[in-house]
C-alpha cells in the first residue's frame, strides 16, 4: 500500500517551508528543477519521501496552472508519500503553523 498526503500553505514561501519542515523532521531538502513542476524541493527519509513545491506550476501555454486545482488560494504544497499510513508524520506536518492538510489517498 502507498499512502499519499497533500498539505498546503499561503502563509509561507517554499523556502520558508523547506526550512520549517527540515527542522521539524530533521531532514535535508535538495532543490530540483522539473519541466512539469518547476522548482521543487525533495527529501528522502526511511519512511518515504517529502516534496515541497509551488501550487502554480508552469503551463504549456505560458500561463501557470494549479497543481491542486481545488485549492486555488494555496501557494505552496507539501507532498508526502509513505509505504503505509503514518499518523506521527501527519501530526508533525499539521503542527507546522500555517500548514493545513488538503488531501489523502491510499492505493
Amino acid at each position: 500500500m502507498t499512502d499519499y498526503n497533500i498539505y498546503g500553505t499561503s502563509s509561507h514561501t517554499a523556502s520558508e517551508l523547506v526550512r520549517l519542515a527540515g527542522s521539524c523532521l530533521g531532514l535535508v531538502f535538495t532543490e530540483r528543477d522539473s519541466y512539469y513542476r518547476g522548482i521543487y524541493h525533495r527529501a528522502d527519509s526511511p519512511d518515504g519521501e517529502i516534496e515541497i513545491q509551488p501550487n502554480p506550476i508552469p503551463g504549456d501555454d505560458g500561463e501557470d496552472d494549479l497543481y491542486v486545482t481545488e485549492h486555488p488560494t494555496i501557494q505552496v504544497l507539501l507532498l508526502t508519500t509513505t509505504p503505509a499510513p503514518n499518523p506521527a508524520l501527519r501530526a508533525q506536518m499539521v503542527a507546522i503553523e500555517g500548514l493545513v492538510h488538503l488531501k489523502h489517498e491510499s492505493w
Side-chain angles (χ1 to χ4, degrees), residues 5-71:
N5 288 280
I6 300 176
Y7 303 84
T9 184
S10 291
S11 304
H12 304 291
T13 65
S15 297
E16 291 169 342
L17 191 53
V18 164
R19 183 182 52 76
L20 290 168
S23 175
C24 177
L25 300 170
L27 298 174
V28 175
F29 286 84
T30 57
E31 185 176 292
R32 297 174 180 220
D33 192 3
S34 164
Y35 170 76
Y36 173 69
R37 294 167 56 190
I39 302 286
Y40 71 101
H41 301 76
R42 179 176 171 161
D44 293 313
S45 76
D47 296 324
E49 63 186 42
I50 299 172
E51 297 176 336
I52 296 172
Q53 70 175 57
N55 191 18
I57 56 174
D60 291 335
D61 58 0
E63 298 288 323
D64 286 345
D65 295 324
L66 294 176
Y67 191 82
V68 180
T69 58
E70 59 270 23
H71 296 283

Side-chain angles (χ1 to χ4, degrees), residues 1 6 13 22 36-37 39 50 56 60 75 80 82 84 89 94 96 99 103 107:
M1 174 197 295
I6 300 176
T13 65
Y36 173 69
R37 294 167 56 190
I39 302 286
I50 299 172
D60 291 335
Q75 293 299 304
T80 64
T82 56
L89 177 61
V94 296
I96 296 174
L99 191 64
K103 186 174 184 179
W107 63 88

